[in-house]
Amino acid sequence: MFFRPPSARSSHLRSARNLVHDDFIPFADHGDCCDGCGSQPADASIRGLAHVSRTSTERRPEDGPPLLWKTTGVGRGYSSLAISQGRIFTLGDGITEDDENEYLLAFDQKEGKPLWKTKTGAPWTKGQSNWQSSRSTPSSDGVSVYVISPHGVLLACDAATGDELWRKDLKKDFDGSKGDGWGYSESPLIDGDTLVCTPGGENATMVALDKKSGDLIWKASQPGNRGAGHSSIVITNVGGVKVYVQMTSAGAIGVRSGDGEILWAYQIDRTTAVCPTPVIKDDLVFIAAGYKRGGALLKQKPAGDGKIEIEEIYPMKIQLANKHGGIVRVGDHVYGDSDDAGIPYCADMMTGEIKWKHRGSGKNSASFTAAEDRLYIHFSSGRMVLAKAQPTEYEEVGSFQAPGTGERPSWSHPVISGGRLYLRENDQILCYDIRE
């Protein structure tokens, strides 16, 4: 059975990725539905701020809540969905049999009708078949939409028409580099008139660009940086200083938004890949990495003259490791998958203590989104689970198997916007009604 989540009011939501004005897209901190959202400015892009309509606890059959629409023609890919101003944006390759190229795609949010497509370039075909295809989730401010291809092409398009506005090559233009061989998958951060992303490497670890022209505003250079990971940048404000926090392959960094000065760095041991986006609560930064590396909690502290220091609350704890399903925060607890084992966990954010760890009804790795006091868990086997976000025990409220799954892993993060649940499953987008 599938339960709809309870709600007494409209609320904010975040997922394991970041923000967009009045809409939602996946991957960053999920505050306690209102607390935590304040860490991002109201006019920022940010890939993940959402308003969730009133919903109910009505039971639903095994095929889940009502399916409002389904659309195909999305192509291969693990990119999730960015939703803004009635449009859904994603990335996919091999849309037709005679065209293997990758495209930035737009669909109508109400009915799923295709609106436009713009070619980003060649598909990602390195490694085994399950590792191939598109991965970055776009970011949009409602006027423009931005995306990074696996090859490092940063593309800006008109959100209404798909017309290309400008493009940059993170490798050629900024001497960027990845810390692994799996391509870029960051969602760019839109902060007012500025677009911020992570070419990686020592020369331009992070860059800020004019979002309208693509012109360079500043670059942050970290000596010894091992390259970009797969995380996306989040915003914190500490003592009146706006800080861009990011996880690279070398560890976490805090960069002053005004001039690109690296204020602090927290190095981690080299690992295969670094994917989870940092989780923010006020001046606290929770970071995680997979492949048995773990999770750590840092505290940012003003040091005068616009400087920031960090204090290690606890070091990397292996029981908090997470590969690519992302970590979400609800209140004082964080939730995620145990590395990629398909075993969700809950931990006290301040201590790192595991409150519970329990195998879910899905199989293999799991990606997380949270709304109010519920967890939306998307297992790579295609199982969609609704569970209670509570530290006492793991309790599934309901689950269903998304149609069209099984051929490739279901790695895209679930998205919630306006009382609807959106899933990207390979070549299709599914829209479910989770309102009353």
Side-chain angles (χ1 to χ4, degrees):
M1 306 296 267
F2 192 89
F3 285 69
R4 296 183 178 191
S7 172
R9 54 180 170 75
S10 175
S11 73
H12 295 300
L13 163 147
R14 294 200 186 173
S15 148
R17 235 170 182 145
N18 291 104
L19 284 170
V20 161
H21 197 58
D22 258 354
D23 301 284
F24 176 86
I25 353 184
F27 264 66
D29 151 38
H30 283 246
D32 24 81
C33 297
C34 280
D35 172 38
C37 292
S39 65
Q40 307 288 357
D43 61 346
S45 95
I46 17 197
R47 306 144 304 253
L49 186 64
H51 296 283
V52 182
S53 301
R54 183 181 176 89
T55 53
S56 75
T57 54
E58 180 183 358
R59 286 181 177 267
R60 289 294 164 190
E62 286 294 334
D63 56 356
L67 179 64
L68 296 178
W69 55 258
K70 178 180 74 173
T71 191
T72 58
V74 188
R76 298 190 315 164
Y78 302 116
S79 168
S80 190
L81 310 169
I83 300 176
S84 180
Q85 301 296 314
R87 304 182 189 96
I88 299 173
F89 305 102
T90 192
L91 196 62
D93 65 36
I95 297 171
T96 61
E97 291 184 359
D98 58 352
D99 186 356
E100 65 176 10
N101 289 304
E102 181 185 73
Y103 288 86
L104 174 60
L105 304 155
F107 297 86
D108 171 66
Q109 183 183 4
K110 185 176 181 180
E111 298 179 340
K113 294 180 179 179
L115 298 176
W116 53 258
K117 64 178 182 178
T118 300
K119 185 164 71 173
T120 63
W124 184 262
T125 57
K126 295 183 180 180
Q128 64 185 48
S129 60
N130 282 351
W131 299 348
Q132 299 177 13
S133 72
S134 305
R135 48 252 289 136
S136 298
T137 298
S139 299
S140 179
D141 57 8
V143 177
S144 303
V145 57
Y146 307 87
V147 74
I148 301 175
S149 81
H151 298 283
V153 173
L154 170 59
L155 180 68
C157 292
D158 184 284
T161 65
D163 292 341
E164 183 175 325
L165 303 175
W166 53 265
R167 70 170 58 202
K168 296 288 184 179
D169 189 309
L170 300 186
K171 293 181 178 180
K172 294 179 180 179
D173 295 331
F174 304 112
D175 195 27
S177 64
K178 279 299 293 354
D180 56 71
W182 291 330
Y184 285 87
S185 61
E186 176 184 10
S187 296
L189 171 70
I190 310 167
D191 184 13
D193 293 328
T194 304
L195 185 78
V196 193
C197 64
T198 316
E202 295 185 328
N203 182 52
T205 312
M206 183 186 294
V207 296
L209 310 174
D210 183 300
K211 72 175 185 180
K212 295 181 179 178
S213 65
D215 292 340
L216 180 67
I217 298 173
W218 52 251
K219 65 178 181 178
S221 303
Q222 182 189 27
N225 185 271
R226 295 194 291 263
H230 298 268
S231 166
S232 297
I233 300 165
V234 292
I235 297 174
T236 66
N237 288 279
V238 182
V241 179
K242 183 192 291 186
V243 183
Y244 296 144
V245 176
Q246 175 63 303
M247 270 289 277
T248 73
S249 291
I253 57 173
V255 179
R256 191 162 56 207
S257 67
D259 58 9
E261 180 178 343
I262 296 179
L263 299 172
W264 58 264
Y266 183 85
Q267 190 151 346
I268 64 171
D269 293 339
R270 185 183 294 272
T271 187
T272 305
V274 176
C275 302
T277 289
V279 174
I280 303 300
K281 183 181 181 183
D282 302 321
D283 55 5
L284 298 172
V285 179
F286 177 85
I287 61 170
Y291 302 90
K292 300 182 179 180
R293 283 300 178 267
L297 184 66
L298 313 174
K299 182 180 176 66
Q300 301 177 98
K301 301 167 65 175
D305 298 325
K307 304 291 187 181
I308 304 293
E309 298 176 344
I310 55 166
E311 173 188 351
E312 182 186 76
I313 304 299
Y314 54 82
M316 296 290 276
K317 295 187 174 187
I318 191 171
Q319 65 266 32
L320 302 174
N322 181 269
K323 277 191 182 178
H324 55 75
I327 305 290
V328 298
R329 179 179 68 83
V330 181
D332 296 325
H333 296 87
V334 291
Y335 300 83
D337 188 14
S338 303
D339 234 327
D340 65 344
I343 304 176
Y345 73 75
C346 169
D348 185 306
M349 181 175 174
M350 287 303 301
T351 65
E353 177 189 358
I354 295 292
K355 294 298 183 180
W356 51 253
K357 183 178 288 191
H358 195 283
R359 183 170 295 281
S361 60
K363 296 179 180 180
N364 305 320
S365 65
S367 58
F368 280 65
T369 293
E372 298 179 327
D373 60 350
R374 293 291 186 264
L375 302 172
Y376 292 79
I377 309 174
H378 192 205
F379 287 87
S380 65
S381 61
R383 195 75 183 171
M384 187 69 213
V385 168
L386 183 66
K388 292 183 179 181
Q390 59 185 15
T392 52
E393 62 178 340
Y394 178 74
E395 183 179 349
E396 292 189 359
V397 179
S399 69
F400 69 96
Q401 186 72 24
T405 57
E407 182 179 348
R408 305 184 82 218
S410 296
W411 283 341
S412 297
H413 289 239
V415 174
I416 300 170
S417 179
R420 295 181 178 185
L421 168 67
Y422 298 85
L423 297 177
R424 161 78 181 274
E425 296 288 1
N426 298 311
D427 184 53
Q428 61 182 356
I429 298 173
L430 306 166
C431 175
Y432 292 94
D433 184 4
I434 56 171
R435 296 171 294 185
E436 278 189 339

